[in-house]
Amino acid sequence: MLPSTAKRLIAALVAVMPVSANNPIKWNDFWDNGGKKAAMAAVPMYHFGRPRGEAPCYPEDAEYNGVQVDGVSHLIGGVFCANLNQGCRWPGEWTGRNSPGVPFPVYYTIKECNGRVRVAYSIYFKKDTGHKSDWENVIVEWSGDGKGGWIRESIFLGQHNYWEKMGWGSIQNTVDGEWDKYDQDAKNRDHPKVYVGAFKHATFHTRRTVIDSCAFADGDEFRSNDWQILPWSDLVKNGQVIKDGWDWGAADTNPASLRGSICSK
């Protein structure tokens, strides 16, 4: 039998532990204040790898004060698939795995789709290894829980003109917040851990470091957790700031295009 003091201590610790359970939100959260509360409820925790020991191209602002940011050539630096960070934002000092990444904006788009609600999260890079300007996207699909709330049902991961879809419970790692963001193998929490490919920037829910070459910019694309960031409120922006008519070249899945196409993904 545990002493009564130990029992009281355990009970107190359990009482203050955060709940880890795909916490529901309300219908109005999708629409009030531009849907900001719903967007924050499942914003991904992003991870970026360090291919060949060098910094990757890293996300940054796609607009400043209503003016579109111009990308840079994927051949900047003169060598294909080298100098990945040249022309891009610096990710921050690397101090080992899970180094804090420099902040960048995440642009969200919300739309009701056949009785469910989809929230897209888009991040912008000035280039990838194939073209100028690059947008990468994650979509979280919400469904009613039968009790008046809405829970995360599935996720869509953007991967080179293809979307990998899986149920929320199948995501390899999820977190609830800053307090548990280094946990591994935790299921059905509120935020997915996603890993961005180092060359073409496809998005995955797993790491892969076996092949470290841009010649394999597909499902084997190098991705790791050298830098990480769980975006806070000031970084999560309504995608309406990305205007219709802005030309992003080959990066044609972006907040503006998703406003009309998110339900077809």
Side-chain angles (χ1 to χ4, degrees), residues 152-155 164-172 188 205:
R152 304 150 192 81
E153 180 178 289
S154 55
I155 190 170
E164 181 183 7
K165 180 182 179 181
M166 68 188 69
W168 197 258
S170 297
I171 302 170
Q172 187 178 79
N188 278 315
H205 75 118

Side-chain angles (χ1 to χ4, degrees), residues 156-175:
F156 299 71
L157 301 169
Q159 300 173 2
H160 314 308
N161 299 314
Y162 167 78
W163 295 88
E164 181 183 7
K165 180 182 179 181
M166 68 188 69
W168 197 258
S170 297
I171 302 170
Q172 187 178 79
N173 299 290
T174 57
V175 304

Side-chain angles (χ1 to χ4, degrees), residues 8-54:
R8 287 196 296 271
L9 177 59
I10 292 171
L13 288 171
V14 169
V16 300
M17 287 177 65
V19 176
S20 301
N22 190 351
N23 293 295
I25 64 174
K26 298 177 181 179
W27 172 254
N28 286 347
D29 293 337
F30 293 111
W31 319 115
D32 293 348
N33 191 31
K36 183 65 173 285
K37 189 170 183 179
M40 289 302 302
V43 63
M45 180 179 177
Y46 291 92
H47 298 80
F48 303 89
R50 190 167 172 259
R52 303 186 302 244
E54 65 175 294

